[in-house]
Structure formats: C-alpha cells, structure tokens
C-alpha cells in the first residue's frame, strides 16, 4: 500500500515530464494480450504505449504531432518494431539487406538490436557522446555509423553514464544495452501504477492484476 507520505515524496521527485503525463487525457484498451494507452497532450501531441498484460513490459511507443496547419502527421516509432512506410510508386523500397535498428527494453535495461551488420565483432565500438547525450555506434572499417538518442533519459533530464553501456555482436546482429538508472526505474514504476488505475475497454475476460513492484 502506498502511503500519503510516499505519494508526497514521489510528487517532489517527479519532474516536468511526469506532470505532462498526469495532465494528458488518457484512454486505455485491452486487446491481443496488450494494454494500449493513448495520451493526448495539451500541445496536440499524441503518444501510444502498449504493455504486455502479463509481464507489464513496454512493447511499443509511438508519437504523432501535427503540422503548422493542424493536420496530423504520420506516427513515428520510438520503441518497438516500426510501422509500415507509406507506399508510393515513386518511392524506392529500402533494401532488405540494409541495417535495421529496433529499440526495446526489459525491466532493467534499454536495448537496441541492429540487424544486417555482417562485420567482425572487433570492428564495433559504442561510446557516449556527453555533449549531445546520446550513444554513438561506429566501426573501424567505416561501414556503419549511427547515433542513438534515449528520449527516456532526455525527458527526465538525466545524463548518460558510460559505465551503463554494453554491447555484443552475433549472427550479423549488434545488440546494445543500457542499464536503466534508478530515477528511470522509479519513474516507470509510478507510470505503471497510474496506468493500472485507468478503466480499460475491450476484452476484460481473465483480466490480470497489475504488479506495481
């Protein structure tokens, strides 16, 4: 049970991002083994998050903003598999062999999976760019270079810690991991707890109980 004193301490520790989340209009839907939460912010931005209803892991996060004329733009994926790109006869399809970077997470770590990078493991390097607060993937053979932002930390105004970074390479796939800092873990715990208070539409048969630990 969360005491009033604990709730007061959490409010003091939460920042502008948590205040935005609390102020946003939220709707929830249970579907296909996931809990989908739609956020509508005061500045017309929209965010969709999908959580596994058993593990409560975040499986998807997408954003949509509006143009200067108020028209909604396409959804952009921050976490999870990206959605299909708009098809056009004038648009060349991306090569199936091109590198593809997908972001996901566990309870303790953020991770990125970069597929189609068939280079020796020893050529890869992953470092922290403290100036821009992002991760930089590079190869000594100059075949691949990518910057990885971590919006989760940016929204909480947290700097990157080089000691929290690790990576491995196997079967033409690079895995980069970042250990979640304590403040992010606490923030996510509070978000999960609030999500569990939302009334969910859809199939509620055998609805699982939320684990807010």
């Amino acid at each position: 049970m969360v005491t009033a004193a604990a709730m007061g301490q959490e409010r003091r520790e939460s920042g502008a991002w948590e205040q935005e989340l609390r102020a946003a209009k939220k709707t929830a839907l249970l579907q296909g083994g996931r809990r989908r939460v739609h956020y509508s912010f005061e500045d017309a931005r929209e965010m969709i998050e999908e959580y596994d209803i058993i593990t409560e892991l975040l499986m998807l996060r997408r954003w949509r903003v509006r143009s200067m004329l108020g028209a909604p733009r396409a959804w952009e994926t921050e976490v999870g598999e990206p959605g299909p790109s708009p098809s056009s006869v004038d648009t060349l399809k991306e090569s199936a062999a091109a590198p593809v970077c997908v972001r996901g997470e566990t309870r303790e770590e953020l991770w990125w999976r970069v597929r189609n990078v068939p280079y020796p493991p020893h050529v890869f390097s992953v470092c922290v760019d403290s100036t821009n607060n992002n991760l930089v993937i590079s190869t000594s053979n100059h075949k691949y270079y990518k910057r990885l932002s971590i919006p989760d930390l940016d929204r909480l105004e947290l700097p990157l810690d080089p000691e929290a970074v690790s990576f491995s390479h196997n079967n033409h796939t690079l895995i980069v991991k970042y250990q979640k800092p304590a403040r992010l873990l606490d923030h996510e715990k509070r978000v999960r707890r609030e999500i569990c208070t939302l009334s969910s539409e859809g199939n509620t048969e055998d609805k699982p109980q939320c684990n807010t630990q």
Side-chain angles (χ1 to χ4, degrees):
M1 179 177 179
V2 181
T3 66
M7 291 294 292
Q9 177 67 19
E10 289 181 358
R11 283 194 292 269
R12 288 191 294 273
E13 292 177 352
S14 63
W17 172 235
E18 285 200 33
Q19 293 174 16
E20 282 192 67
L21 288 177
R22 291 194 182 102
K25 179 181 178 181
K26 295 177 281 290
T27 57
L29 173 69
L30 291 177
Q31 187 177 51
R34 293 188 180 188
R35 176 181 284 107
R36 170 181 284 200
V37 183
H38 180 272
Y39 295 81
S40 296
F41 296 94
E42 294 179 353
D43 59 3
R45 289 177 301 156
E46 297 175 80
M47 181 178 73
I48 286 177
E49 291 186 328
E50 292 185 3
Y51 293 84
D52 185 282
I53 61 175
I54 302 299
T55 65
E56 296 183 12
L57 286 178
L58 176 68
M59 308 301 293
L60 179 75
R61 179 184 290 137
R62 288 179 177 160
W63 286 89
R64 182 166 69 177
V65 299
R66 294 184 178 272
S67 68
M68 294 183 65
L69 298 178
R73 298 185 185 273
W75 288 96
E76 295 187 3
T77 302
E78 178 182 317
V79 177
E81 292 286 344
S85 301
S87 59
S88 170
V89 294
D90 298 322
T91 302
L92 295 177
K93 291 184 178 180
E94 186 177 13
S95 169
V100 177
C101 183
V102 176
R103 201 202 107 182
E105 63 179 71
T106 67
R107 279 292 182 95
E108 303 296 329
E109 295 176 324
L110 307 173
W111 59 258
W112 295 259
R113 180 182 293 113
V114 186
R115 300 190 294 265
N116 300 332
V117 282
Y119 314 120
H122 70 269
V123 307
F124 289 92
S125 173
V126 181
C127 63
V128 169
D129 179 349
S130 299
T131 301
N132 296 295
N133 207 43
N134 54 32
L135 300 176
V136 179
I137 303 174
S138 60
T139 58
S140 59
N141 60 4
H142 308 292
K143 296 292 186 179
Y144 186 76
Y145 179 90
K146 187 173 182 64
R147 288 181 174 269
L148 302 173
S149 63
I150 308 184
D152 313 68
L153 302 188
D154 293 338
R155 287 187 285 262
L156 297 179
E157 300 181 353
L158 295 175
L160 285 172
D161 177 9
E163 297 298 323
V165 182
S166 63
F167 67 95
S168 60
H169 183 275
N170 193 32
N171 293 328
H172 298 178
T173 300
L174 179 72
I175 304 293
V176 179
K177 296 181 179 181
Y178 187 88
Q179 193 75 23
K180 293 180 180 180
R183 276 192 57 193
L184 178 57
L185 291 171
D186 291 342
H187 162 75
E188 292 177 342
K189 179 180 178 181
R190 291 192 291 269
V191 169
R192 287 194 299 269
R193 186 166 62 215
E194 181 169 353
I195 286 174
C196 286
T197 67
L198 299 176
S199 297
S200 299
E201 300 176 357
N203 181 14
T204 57
E205 183 178 355
D206 297 327
K207 179 179 177 181
Q209 296 297 315
C210 287
N211 176 14
T212 57
Q213 298 301 315

